[in-house]
Amino acid sequence: MLDDPRIAGLLRLVLGVFRPAPGRGRILLALASGVVCHLVFALAVMAMMSAMFFGMQRSLGSVPWPWAAAVNLLLILQFPIVHSVLLTRMGRRILSSFIPGPHGAVLSTTTYATIASAQLLALFALWTPSGVIWWQAEGAVFWLLCAAYGAAWLLLIKASFDAGAEVQSGALGWMSLMAKVKPVFPDMPDKGLFRLIRQPIYLAFALTLWTVPVWTPDQLALALLLTAYCVFAPLLKERRFKAAYGTRFEAYRTQVPYMLPRPTRHGLAVHERRNGLFFKGERNSRQLEAD
């Protein structure tokens, strides 16, 4: 199990935290960045899970209607727009300079995760509810949807782990700074759920939007817009992967479907056989942040 690169890379970072290189100021900066990142991340996840579970009817927004509709729309759009911009070359430069001093570049992944978490927290905590409930599940249907909602979140956690938990959580930056080492990004993800589809994180995120037990105009608007983002945003991500991994990613893209798994066992078996032929021995040393 320790040979699994998904675990080995994370374990090296954790061990480095307990054996930090000397440098009090650097260590304090790393710890402060980590605490802020993971605290905002946890608050964002809790706000998202709770708000969607109740159909976006329990949040702190209080903008008068009809102005609330425009503000809610801006809250939705700010996440995919800023999230995508920060992954461009210009965005990476912004992230590196976000924290003044010599450590901004090392902390860039932590800064990115912190900003993304703050965006989600703003979306789900500051939403102004419409107060209109179209449908609310009851009885066995309620519990069935609760199970589906929980399963979608577990799928999202699993996909994030397969993509590299250290990057997805923001830990890569601050833990690398603690150990005073250069951040090492996970290799191109092709294990776990990435053996079945190329975009399991986006699929799982979309599933959380559609498995809620309460449906309102708010939830429908959120689900439609963010699902569109989940479908189209990975196309930009795959352009970055193609630039970084070249023929290796092209071979992977040829054999693994985009977002819906192949329905037959035969298709998966063929993929696994070819996967070994395409990826054996070919490694690209360029590093790429996986979102």
Side-chain angles (χ1 to χ4, degrees), residues 15 25 52 64 72 137 175 190-191 208 231 236 278 287:
L15 291 176
M52 291 202 303
N72 287 346
M175 286 187 174
D190 57 15
K191 294 178 174 57
T208 65
V231 172
L236 299 176
F278 278 120
Q287 297 174 340

Side-chain angles (χ1 to χ4, degrees), residues 85-99:
V85 168
L86 289 179
L87 290 173
T88 64
R89 289 184 179 180
M90 179 186 69
R92 288 193 288 270
R93 289 196 297 268
I94 293 173
L95 289 171
S96 296
S97 62
F98 197 85
I99 296 179

Side-chain angles (χ1 to χ4, degrees), residues 11 28 113 169 265-266:
L11 183 60
L28 290 176
S169 66
R265 290 181 177 271
H266 173 71

Side-chain angles (χ1 to χ4, degrees), residues 37-91:
C37 177
H38 298 318
L39 178 61
V40 178
F41 182 88
L43 290 173
V45 171
M46 288 189 292
M48 181 178 175
M49 293 181 70
S50 174
M52 291 202 303
F53 185 84
F54 294 105
M56 301 298 291
Q57 296 305 297
R58 297 190 182 182
S59 51
L60 303 177
S62 58
V63 178
W65 291 86
W67 307 111
V71 174
N72 287 346
L73 179 61
L74 289 175
L75 285 171
I76 295 177
L77 295 179
Q78 55 86 26
F79 175 73
I81 291 174
V82 175
H83 193 72
S84 299
V85 168
L86 289 179
L87 290 173
T88 64
R89 289 184 179 180
M90 179 186 69

Side-chain angles (χ1 to χ4, degrees), residues 15-186:
L15 291 176
V17 170
F18 291 100
R19 296 195 297 261
R24 183 178 178 182
R26 190 198 76 256
I27 292 173
L28 290 176
L29 176 60
L31 287 174
S33 300
V35 168
V36 171
C37 177
H38 298 318
L39 178 61
V40 178
F41 182 88
L43 290 173
V45 171
M46 288 189 292
M48 181 178 175
M49 293 181 70
S50 174
M52 291 202 303
F53 185 84
F54 294 105
M56 301 298 291
Q57 296 305 297
R58 297 190 182 182
S59 51
L60 303 177
S62 58
V63 178
W65 291 86
W67 307 111
V71 174
N72 287 346
L73 179 61
L74 289 175
L75 285 171
I76 295 177
L77 295 179
Q78 55 86 26
F79 175 73
I81 291 174
V82 175
H83 193 72
S84 299
V85 168
L86 289 179
L87 290 173
T88 64
R89 289 184 179 180
M90 179 186 69
R92 288 193 288 270
R93 289 196 297 268
I94 293 173
L95 289 171
S96 296
S97 62
F98 197 85
I99 296 179
H103 305 306
V106 175
L107 286 172
S108 61
T109 55
T110 299
T111 303
Y112 179 80
T114 304
I115 293 173
S117 298
Q119 289 182 267
L120 286 174
L121 181 58
L123 168 57
F124 292 101
L126 301 180
W127 184 274
T128 299
S130 67
V132 178
I133 297 178
W134 283 338
W135 179 79
Q136 185 168 346
E138 297 178 351
V141 176
F142 172 78
W143 293 111
L144 181 63
L145 284 174
C146 286
Y149 190 58
W153 277 99
L154 290 176
L155 191 68
L156 181 57
I157 294 171
K158 167 62 174 169
S160 299
F161 170 77
D162 291 337
E166 61 269 43
V167 174
Q168 302 301 315
S169 66
L172 177 62
W174 76 266
M175 286 187 174
S176 297
L177 185 61
M178 278 281 288
K180 202 177 180 179
V181 297
K182 184 179 180 180
V184 178
F185 287 86

